[in-house]
Structure formats: structure tokens, C-alpha cells
Amino acid sequence: QMMMVIIVFAVVTSLTFVAAMWQLVRVSRQFKSRFTVPVEALIKVVSRGEACGYSEDVPTLKFAVARELGVVSSNFQRLFVGLRFGNARYHGGDKLKELTALRGARELMEETGNKRGMGVCLSNLGNFSRANAKNAKVRAQLMEEERDAVALLTRAVANASELAFGPAAAADGASGFNAEAIVECSKPGAVSAGAEVTADTVGQRLFGLALAQHDAGMAQQALRSLDTALRVHAATGAWASLARMASVLVHKVDLHGPSDEPLLEL
């Protein structure tokens, strides 16, 4: 009888050990598939990011066991959106890929409520639309709002004017800016709104707007925007900006058409 008890004990112990080992293997596999493998994939994408222009997508982690990893992955996805923005190494001259990056950045700025960032995105998207006005492949992929470079850049100017000088500088009907208020606020010693947007940023966006208005056949509006931009840069002593404007205008006259100067703002 004692022998029977020992045998039963040994069998039960062995079965329990086998069951425990099987469960351990199962848990280990789940841990590897839901934690180790995703972490390794995330590390590889992030470590190769700069070298490949952040062209690889960050893996999405949705498993509950990796909830914290999901947050990390989501944050890296947002970071990659920002790093792709205006990054020529990412799009490599592919205009549709560049458009995707511009849209992604705009969505991120709207999601986070970053008003300055939204202005930058509007400016870059407007300049992109203007520079690709004759690219049928790109135009076919643009949404109706994205095809109106003048409207996008008008909003960008209003955004910069308000952030730099206050609401009064942005309020002037459909033009989106108050020229005299902007010029006065740009002069040395003038009180600004204290934001991170400078008078020269306003001038740069006004120049982009002037080019878009010219391309759209809006001659008077283009002259007004250009005149305001010139006066702003003259008031701040931004001679490099004035020289760049002159270079773009000469190039535009030589081509007798829309300039493909990107006028990228970061």
C-alpha cells in the first residue's frame, strides 16, 4: 500500500511538473511575441531612423500586455511625423510622399492644438500647392481645400500676424492681415505679442502669399502682400530675407511662370 502511495505521488508530481513546464513555455512564447519581439522591432526602426530619413513606419503595439509599449510606440509615431516634416531625405523628391508628410504634420498640430505649428503647416502646404500647380499627378491627389494656395497662405499669414502682433494685425477682412499694423509692429522698439513667431516669419509668409496671388492672376493683392513683406524685412533689417526675395523674383521673371522655390518653413 505504501508503494502504491509513492507511485501515485510520483505520477502526480511528474504530471504537475509537466503541466507547469508547458504553462511556462506558453507564457514565455506569449511574452516574446507580445513584448520582446515588438520591443526589438521598435528599437530597429528607431535606430535606423536617421540613416533612412525616417521612411520606415513605427510598429503599432495594441496588445494589453504591452500597454505601456503602446504609449511609447504612439509617441514615437508622433515623433516620426515631426521628423519627416520638411525632410528631403524622407520623401526623396517624391511629391506625393511629401504631401503625405505635410498632411500628417498638419493632423498632428491640430490634434495637439499647437497654433504656431498649424500656421507652419498651412504655410508649407500652401507653398507646396503653389509650386506644384502644373503637376497633374500631384493636383489629382490634392483635396479641394489644398488646391487653393492663396486661401491656405492667407490663413498662414493671419496666423503669424496674430501670434506675433496680436489680433489687430490679423483683422482686415478677406486679406487676412492689416498691412499698416504689421509694419508698425515690425519697427524696432514696437511692442509685440511676445510669442515665438517673429516679424520676419510674417514677412516670409507674406512673400509666399504674394507669389501665390500673382500665379492666380491677383495682381493688386500680390503687390500689396509683396510691399508689406518688403517693408517688414526692411524694418527688422532682415537683409538675407530681402536678398532671397530678390533672387526668387528674378528667377520667376526669367521663367515667366510659377517659381518652384519651396520656401520651406520649419
Side-chain angles (χ1 to χ4, degrees):
Q1 188 176 4
M2 180 63 69
M3 184 61 70
M4 182 61 69
V5 171
I6 293 173
I7 293 173
V8 170
F9 176 77
V11 171
V12 171
T13 302
S14 299
L15 291 175
T16 303
F17 177 76
V18 171
M21 290 300 295
W22 179 84
Q23 185 66 19
L24 180 61
V25 171
R26 180 172 172 271
V27 171
S28 297
R29 287 179 176 175
Q30 287 186 343
F31 180 81
K32 182 177 181 180
S33 65
R34 297 189 179 188
F35 189 88
T36 305
V37 172
V39 167
E40 290 177 347
L42 181 60
I43 291 174
K44 287 179 181 178
V45 170
V46 173
S47 63
R48 291 194 299 258
E50 185 174 0
C52 66
Y54 307 98
S55 58
E56 296 182 75
D57 292 327
V58 176
T60 301
L61 310 177
K62 299 180 180 179
F63 298 112
V65 71
R67 186 175 304 164
E68 291 77 9
L69 280 179
V71 174
V72 172
S73 174
S74 177
N75 289 336
F76 269 111
Q77 287 172 349
R78 292 185 176 190
L79 176 62
F80 269 42
V81 168
L83 292 172
R84 288 170 175 174
F85 183 62
N87 189 340
R89 293 184 66 185
Y90 167 68
H91 59 75
D94 185 332
K95 296 301 181 181
L96 296 182
K97 204 170 182 181
E98 183 180 358
L99 176 60
T100 299
L102 289 171
R103 286 172 173 168
R106 185 181 181 187
E107 290 175 3
L108 178 60
M109 294 303 105
E110 291 176 345
E111 179 185 337
T112 57
N114 187 322
K115 194 168 184 178
R116 179 189 179 281
M118 283 188 276
V120 173
C121 291
L122 286 169
S123 177
N124 285 358
L125 187 57
N127 285 315
F128 175 86
S129 177
R130 176 188 61 79
N132 290 279
K134 294 185 177 181
N135 188 326
K137 185 177 180 180
V138 172
R139 300 296 291 180
Q141 297 300 318
L142 291 175
M143 295 184 287
E144 185 175 353
E145 177 209 19
E146 296 170 338
R147 294 176 183 173
D148 192 341
V150 172
L152 290 169
L153 289 164
T154 297
R155 291 170 60 189
V157 169
N159 167 279
S161 301
E162 182 175 352
L163 289 177
F165 310 124
D172 190 20
S175 68
F177 64 94
N178 186 322
E180 294 307 319
I182 288 175
V183 174
E184 285 301 315
C185 291
S186 300
K187 293 179 179 178
V191 179
S192 68
E196 65 270 32
V197 174
T198 65
D200 287 319
T201 297
V202 179
Q204 291 163 7
R205 293 189 188 177
L206 279 165
F207 182 48
L209 175 59
L211 293 175
Q213 289 170 330
H214 176 273
D215 294 344
M218 304 165 64
Q220 292 301 317
Q221 295 92 325
L223 285 173
R224 179 173 182 268
S225 299
L226 179 60
D227 176 68
T228 307
L230 289 169
R231 292 162 67 193
V232 167
H233 290 315
T236 61
W239 310 118
S241 295
L242 289 169
R244 184 187 183 194
M245 289 173 63
S247 175
V248 173
L249 289 172
V250 169
H251 181 66
K252 188 175 183 65
V253 171
D254 288 342
L255 291 177
H256 298 288
S259 168
D260 58 0
E261 168 69 36
L263 297 177
L264 183 65
E265 181 181 339
L266 299 174

